[in-house]
Amino acid sequence: MNENKTNPLLCDPISGTCEMPISENSNKTANIQIENKPIKIIYYTDPICSSCWGIEPQLRKLKLEYGDYFDIEYRMGGLLPDWSYNSGGISKPADVAYHWDEASLHYEMPIDGDVWLEDPLDSSYPSCIAMKAAQIQGKEKAVKFMRILREKLYLEKKNIAKWENIVEAAKIANLNVEKLKTDYDGDAKKLFQEDLNYAKTLGVRGFPTLFFADENNNKLTVYGSKPYASYENALLALFPEAKKKSIVKENPLSIFEIYPSLAPKEYAVIHDISVNEAKIILEELHERGKLGKMSIKNGSLYSK
């Protein structure tokens, strides 16, 4: 089954994408509805997409600098339906472990690929459906929930296809777990299917994919993990009046009031400094007892 399809977990660090095992033609006439702000971003992602973890620094910076000008809608891609793919160098979960360790070095974001050796995921659908269930309780809560899911997967090596690990993340994100379960078994499945259908309409062929649209339905697409300027330029091309908000740099801890956990790469991109400089600052704050730190074989995460 699916013998000629490349496994979607073989993300290409050069293009910065996790390719989907399907090919759909893009529908250029697909409409993106603008809400309260001049720009709408449709972000197609998946909780287990390593390239999406790789753009967290750029995305977080974009929200800080231009968040007044755009609404962002998280859509789930269903990166790994099952393990029926057996080409592209990945035919079983264990094959992903080395690839994720490589991705970690490429994106300079902490990822421990050993989850694929110790407690491998059989699908990304459960975490995608959980994310849709979380969105029913609120957009911001859901974004926080997905961040926690990813930290559990990439740093704690937790299998986020398992309900007990989803519940653990939901509690940290202050979600109503009982409602989450009801929606997970009901409406969230339909919402996830809508995301999959809409992805075909828009011509999504991998993750991350960000569609920027204005009120006249002019669209620009940023496909894959790209430098920050690619996302900034897309927004400014559609809304040149956008004014960049300056990020407070005097207090090195202030960013943690907005983002309670940050990898050195995220801190570096947000503050326009090198990753090494970020590591020195964060380590000093950790030594002074101002920040917590979780270290894995491929990096660290600092938290308030």
Side-chain angles (χ1 to χ4, degrees):
M1 183 181 173
N2 294 331
E3 282 180 14
N4 299 316
K5 292 177 179 174
T6 302
N7 188 283
L9 287 173
L10 190 68
C11 303
D12 179 1
I14 307 305
S15 68
T17 52
C18 298
E19 293 279 355
M20 279 299 283
I22 54 171
S23 179
E24 296 288 344
N25 292 323
S26 177
N27 179 355
K28 299 296 180 189
T29 61
N31 278 332
I32 292 175
Q33 297 298 318
I34 301 299
E35 293 168 22
N36 309 311
K37 296 179 183 177
I39 299 296
K40 174 75 167 282
I41 300 174
I42 302 282
Y43 174 29
Y44 262 95
T45 184
D46 188 289
I48 77 165
C49 164
S50 58
S51 296
C52 298
W53 183 238
I55 74 158
E56 281 284 279
Q58 296 92 305
L59 203 53
R60 286 181 147 192
K61 185 180 176 73
L62 194 72
K63 288 177 181 178
L64 288 169
E65 293 192 333
Y66 295 102
D68 291 345
Y69 302 101
F70 66 85
D71 289 306
I72 183 164
E73 188 175 299
Y74 286 70
R75 296 270 188 159
M76 297 300 105
L79 180 60
L80 183 70
D82 52 47
W83 277 100
S84 62
Y85 307 96
N86 59 8
S87 66
I90 290 180
S91 59
K92 58 188 183 297
D95 295 335
V96 186
Y98 175 73
H99 172 65
W100 267 25
D101 289 340
E102 277 191 324
S104 181
L105 295 173
H106 179 79
Y107 295 120
E108 298 177 281
M109 287 288 283
I111 303 174
D112 191 335
D114 287 353
V115 64
W116 295 103
L117 304 174
E118 297 169 14
D119 192 4
L121 291 77
D122 53 7
S123 170
S124 73
Y125 277 34
S127 57
C128 285
I129 295 165
M131 181 60 181
K132 298 316 290 184
Q135 285 176 337
I136 294 169
Q137 296 188 40
K139 281 167 66 169
E140 290 309 312
K141 273 189 179 179
V143 172
K144 184 180 176 185
F145 171 64
M146 185 153 71
R147 173 71 186 203
I148 295 162
L149 277 178
R150 283 176 165 154
E151 289 180 7
K152 289 198 166 298
L153 174 64
Y154 295 122
L155 287 101
E156 296 178 34
K157 299 184 288 184
K158 293 282 180 74
N159 179 339
I160 59 168
K162 289 183 174 175
W163 182 249
E164 62 263 32
N165 294 327
I166 290 170
V167 167
E168 210 179 296
K171 286 176 180 172
I172 298 167
N174 294 318
L175 290 166
N176 179 325
V177 175
E178 201 175 304
K179 178 167 172 52
L180 190 81
K181 180 71 171 112
T182 304
D183 292 333
Y184 180 89
D185 292 332
D187 289 345
K189 286 185 168 68
K190 294 176 211 156
L191 293 170
F192 176 46
Q193 189 57 53
E194 283 173 18
D195 281 3
L196 296 179
N197 295 342
Y198 192 41
K200 292 176 184 178
T201 306
L202 289 170
V204 174
R205 61 186 198 279
F207 313 110
T209 299
L210 287 85
F211 298 96
F212 292 72
D214 66 12
E215 60 183 359
N216 299 315
N217 209 38
N218 296 310
K219 287 201 291 287
L220 288 171
T221 306
V222 181
Y223 180 55
S225 177
K226 297 289 185 287
Y228 177 69
S230 300
Y231 307 95
E232 181 182 35
N233 291 342
L235 186 135
L236 291 174
L238 291 174
F239 194 70
E241 298 89 347
K243 298 281 185 291
K244 183 188 292 194
K245 188 181 281 186
S246 60
I247 295 166
V248 178
K249 296 178 184 177
E250 290 74 27
N251 178 1
L253 280 169
S254 60
I255 190 66
F256 285 90
E257 300 300 329
I258 302 163
Y259 299 126
S261 63
L262 290 151
K265 177 64 180 283
E266 294 177 301
Y267 194 90
V269 168
I270 288 167
H271 288 96
D272 289 317
I273 59 175
S274 72
V275 175
N276 279 339
E277 285 174 284
K279 284 178 181 173
I280 291 165
I281 293 166
L282 293 169
E283 195 53 35
E284 188 190 334
L285 289 166
H286 169 61
E287 284 170 6
R288 284 168 46 204
K290 302 288 186 186
L291 291 176
K293 179 185 178 184
M294 179 189 284
S295 292
I296 62 167
K297 64 177 181 177
N298 290 333
S300 299
L301 192 76
Y302 294 83
S303 57
K304 192 101 166 41

